[in-house]
Amino acid sequence: MNAPVSSAVLPAPLRIAPLPPEYLLRVRAGLDDLGQPVERHIAGGGEPLRDCLRRARSGEAILLASYCPFTLAGPYKEYGPVFVSASPQPESPPAALPLGGERPYLGSSFVLRAYSREERIVDARLSNPGAAIDDLAILFDRPDTAFVLARFPTYGCYALRIDAA
């Protein structure tokens, strides 16, 4: 069993990609990636906020909206639900995977899916805080990996994107 990890600094040239600013502006104005109205909620506490990569605090205003992390048409292009803060948050993504805190954003396990430039899945791993950096190194060592999406394992929802800078 791997020891608990509070953070895992991404090696250069990897970086966490923020949600696109135009997406966040559109969602906070009321429409998601499918052109549907967003849902406004008050957090019960613990909802994963994709814009700031942390868990929501109880009573915090949040939005639920569809998001698509892909830009190309094809069988892997998918839309899924994401929570974001109702108000703008600091823009810079962290340099480390969000693994620490009382309720870590990524949790005790998560899926890492590697995609090609054509946005096709080329590899995947079920990972955890202690193995994440090694798993990312293996995935990015593949010449066909352009980016990696981290997903929550039980619902399969999008958590974050990691790019080679």
Side-chain angles (χ1 to χ4, degrees):
M1 177 93 183
N2 294 320
V5 175
S6 62
S7 70
V9 176
L10 292 170
L14 302 183
R15 68 174 187 87
I16 295 173
L19 286 178
E22 60 276 3
Y23 171 77
L24 292 171
L25 286 171
R26 188 172 59 250
V27 165
R28 291 188 179 117
L31 291 177
D32 68 14
D33 264 358
L34 290 170
Q36 306 172 125
V38 303
E39 293 183 10
R40 297 179 184 282
H41 295 272
I42 299 299
E47 295 87 342
L49 300 177
R50 276 38 168 243
D51 56 332
C52 51
L53 305 182
R54 66 168 171 81
R55 297 287 173 157
R57 295 179 287 278
S58 182
E60 184 174 2
I62 60 174
L63 305 172
L64 178 60
S66 289
Y67 174 66
C68 181
F70 301 99
T71 59
L72 302 176
Y76 291 98
K77 185 173 186 173
E78 61 187 351
Y79 296 80
V82 296
F83 288 105
V84 298
S85 298
S87 58
Q89 300 294 304
E91 293 293 321
S92 60
L97 290 174
L99 304 170
E102 186 176 319
R103 286 204 62 197
Y105 176 76
L106 284 176
S108 60
S109 66
F110 42 90
V111 174
L112 297 173
R113 283 192 204 159
Y115 291 84
S116 67
R117 285 184 185 9
E118 295 77 29
E119 298 182 347
R120 302 277 205 176
I121 295 174
V122 297
D123 202 353
R125 296 186 169 274
L126 180 59
S127 194
N128 63 67
I133 296 301
D134 289 340
D135 287 341
L136 285 168
I138 290 166
L139 294 171
F140 277 104
D141 276 348
R142 293 180 57 112
D144 52 352
T145 296
F147 63 94
V148 170
L149 297 183
R151 294 180 173 269
F152 298 107
T154 50
Y155 292 97
C157 296
Y158 171 89
L160 59 85
R161 177 178 168 143
I162 302 164
D163 289 324

